């Protein structure tokens, strides 16, 4: 359950950005969560709701966009979506693949009241 | 009320990654090889370090950072071997983070060869946190079962080497070493794999030689 640490990092970024924009409060937050990022969207939501109390985002909604795990074959350049981390190209069988998306966690945007 | 949309696009692990990068650059420049050991509780991380001490020293020096939720016990085991050890107790957190290592880095002695970081026993959460290591090792012990790589893929995917530990227990344990190895390689074809036992000593020399070769390579790259 490292989601609470991730949410703590999120709040550091939120508070910094809110101060920069001189926001009165944060209304909503949008995250992009890779399906193979190792973080569970439900646990991120629960952690967010625990953490937000008494912060500038106390009433904010967390929206999560889940992104699939996508790779590109370095041999035949085929791009494909994978359900798991097994590293074999569907087209040519090569094991030389590079990750395009689906393993990261990004704060995309927030709506604030100014 | 004036509502405004603020675009951010920031990695939630960005601050951890930045600290980890700094640690890796500093310690690599000092010629220290840093290893991050990850496994479920009890897979044999501390026992491995105790056994390695006898193979690496006196020719090479080592130090250990121990991460645990509670107690100083693992650090005491390491100190009992005459090896400097720092204990980080996370007080509940299921993983170490780079800033915890960063706080200790001024205390790391000059001329050290190997710095081992024993992560909190957990096969899931530590995988997301770079600690500034040059080599990440995942340990899988034979009593846990040979099906674990596919069930916990992140940590196998992000590691450089896989240690199948407690091989002295096979048989009677029905652990298929080749199956575990091949399924881990399907997830991460670049994994270096070792099968070893801290109790019988089997496979330990080969792993120690890999560490020594990795240390030489690090120093060549940073010469
Ligand atoms: N048979 C056998 N037992 C082992 C081996 N390595 C460790 N053990 C035993 O496994 C148990 C756990 O070993 P530790 O080295 O404490 O494991 P750990 O991964 O450091 O545990 P945590 O720090 O609590 O996560 C101990 O009872 C060890 O004696 C091995 O190679 N063979
Ligand atoms: Mg231990
Ligand atoms: Zn291909």
């Amino acid at each position: 359950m490292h989601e609470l640490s991730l949410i703590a990092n999120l709040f550091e970024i939120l508070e910094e950005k809110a101060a920069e924009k001189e926001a009165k409060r944060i209304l909503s937050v949008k995250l992009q969560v890779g399906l193979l990022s190792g973080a569970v969207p439900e646990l991120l939501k629960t952690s967010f709701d625990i953490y937000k109390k008494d912060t500038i985002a106390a009433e904010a909604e967390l929206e999560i966009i889940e992104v699939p795990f996508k790779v590109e074959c370095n041999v035949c350049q085929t791009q494909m979506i994978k359900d798991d981390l097994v590293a074999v190209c569907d087209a040519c069988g090569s094991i030389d693949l590079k990750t395009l998306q689906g393993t990261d966690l990004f704060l995309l945007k927030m709506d604030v009241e100014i | 009320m004036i509502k405004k949309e603020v675009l951010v696009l920031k990695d939630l692990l960005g601050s951890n990654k930045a600290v980890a990068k700094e640690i890796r650059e500093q310690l690599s420049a000092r010629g220290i090889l840093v290893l991050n050991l990850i496994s479920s509780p009890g897979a044999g991380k501390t026992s491995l370090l105790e056994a390695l001490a006898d193979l690496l020293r006196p020719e090479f020096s080592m130090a250990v950072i121990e991460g645990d939720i509670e107690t100083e016990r693992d650090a005491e085991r390491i100190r009992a071997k005459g090896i400097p050890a720092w204990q980080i107790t996370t007080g509940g957190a299921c993983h170490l983070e780079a800033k915890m290592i960063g706080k200790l880095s001024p205390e790391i002695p000059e001329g050290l060869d190997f710095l081992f970081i024993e992560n909190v026993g957990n096969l899931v959460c530590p995988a997301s946190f770079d600690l500034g290591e040059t080599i990440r090792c995942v340990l899988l012990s034979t009593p846990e079962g040979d099906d674990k790589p596919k069930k916990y893929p992140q940590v196998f995917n992000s590691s450089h080497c896989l240690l199948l530990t407690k091989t002295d227990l096979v048989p009677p344990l029905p652990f298929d070493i080749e199956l575990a190895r091949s399924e881990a390689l399907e997830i991460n074809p670049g994994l270096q794999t070792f099968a070893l036992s801290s109790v019988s000593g089997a496979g330990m020399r080969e792993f120690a030689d890999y560490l020594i070769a990795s240390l030489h390579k690090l120093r060549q790259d940073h010469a």
Side-chain angles (χ1 to χ4, degrees):
Chain A
M1 172 71 181
H2 60 296
E3 282 78 1
L4 207 49
S5 317
L6 295 171
I7 292 297
N9 291 353
L10 169 67
F11 271 85
E12 267 178 35
I13 304 172
L14 290 178
E15 271 157 13
E16 185 192 313
K17 285 282 162 189
E20 204 178 280
K21 302 285 171 190
E22 295 177 2
K24 289 200 193 89
R25 56 193 185 109
I26 298 174
L27 305 168
S28 69
V29 173
K30 195 169 183 174
L31 289 189
Q32 175 177 305
V33 178
L35 284 177
L36 292 181
S37 65
V40 182
E42 275 313 306
L43 294 179
L44 287 170
K45 286 205 161 146
T46 311
S47 304
F48 184 84
D49 288 337
I50 295 168
Y51 207 98
K52 74 182 183 183
K53 296 205 173 69
D54 304 320
T55 73
I56 190 168
E59 283 130 59
E61 289 281 336
L62 178 66
E63 188 189 343
I64 292 183
I65 314 258
E66 297 183 23
V67 295
F69 178 50
K70 195 170 173 189
V71 295
E72 182 179 302
C73 176
N74 284 328
V75 176
C76 72
Q77 272 70 51
T78 307
Q79 294 191 358
M80 65 210 99
I81 303 241
K82 290 273 190 186
D83 294 334
D84 55 33
L85 278 170
V86 170
V88 184
C89 174
D90 296 338
C92 75
S94 152
I95 53 170
D96 185 9
L97 306 179
K98 77 166 171 267
T99 300
L100 297 178
Q101 60 164 50
T103 56
D104 282 328
L105 283 158
F106 275 97
L107 166 59
L108 293 180
K109 62 157 219 166
M110 60 183 186
D111 287 329
V112 298
E113 183 189 329
I114 50 171
Chain B
M1 178 178 103
I2 309 166
K3 188 171 150 179
K4 191 172 175 215
E5 182 176 69
V6 181
L7 297 176
V8 188
L9 199 66
K10 263 198 141 177
D11 185 348
L12 293 199
L13 284 164
S15 58
N16 188 75
K17 285 177 186 166
V19 176
K21 183 166 177 272
E22 203 180 305
I23 293 171
R24 187 161 29 251
E25 284 170 0
Q26 280 182 10
L27 294 181
S28 298
R30 289 170 58 189
I32 302 172
L33 185 74
V34 183
L35 293 106
N36 179 2
L37 306 185
I38 302 179
S39 78
S40 49
K45 299 177 292 298
T46 311
S47 305
L48 175 81
L49 294 173
E50 290 167 323
L52 270 178
D54 297 330
L55 292 175
L56 294 174
R57 295 178 312 163
E59 201 184 338
F60 298 95
S61 60
M62 61 187 271
V64 177
I65 297 175
E66 286 288 349
D68 280 290
I69 291 176
E70 291 294 346
T71 85
E72 197 52 47
R73 284 185 184 172
D74 278 0
E76 279 160 11
R77 280 172 62 184
I78 298 295
R79 287 181 201 129
K81 298 279 292 178
I83 297 166
W86 297 268
Q87 181 77 50
I88 298 174
T89 47
T90 63
C94 49
H95 59 273
L96 294 175
E97 296 191 13
K99 59 177 183 255
M100 303 172 181
I101 308 299
K103 269 191 210 152
L104 289 177
S105 63
E107 296 178 39
I108 292 161
E110 284 310 318
L112 187 68
D113 295 316
F114 298 100
L115 175 66
F116 294 93
I117 304 170
E118 177 179 337
N119 221 310
V120 180
N122 180 327
L123 207 47
V124 181
C125 305
S128 298
F129 296 86
D130 186 352
L131 301 182
E133 68 269 20
T134 295
I135 297 180
R136 177 177 293 192
C137 289
V138 55
L139 287 73
L140 170 60
S141 67
T142 56
E144 294 170 71
D146 50 26
D147 60 345
K148 295 299 170 287
K150 289 268 169 91
K151 292 174 85 170
Y152 299 88
Q154 254 90 29
V155 67
F156 293 91
N157 187 244
S158 64
S159 291
H160 304 94
C161 87
L162 163 65
L163 308 181
L164 298 168
T165 62
K166 308 194 190 179
T167 52
D168 59 293
L169 301 177
V170 182
L173 284 177
F175 188 97
D176 185 337
I177 289 177
E178 284 319 310
L179 178 74
R181 201 197 297 267
S182 67
E183 292 204 339
L185 286 169
E186 280 178 36
I187 295 162
N188 181 356
L191 268 181
Q192 296 271 345
T193 67
F194 299 89
L196 49 81
S197 164
S198 311
V199 167
S200 74
M204 288 295 303
R205 183 71 256 166
E206 195 190 342
F207 180 56
D209 287 343
Y210 161 76
L211 294 178
I212 294 165
S214 303
L215 178 68
H216 289 319
K217 182 171 180 307
L218 175 95
R219 289 186 178 164
Q220 265 164 18
D221 292 350
H222 288 84

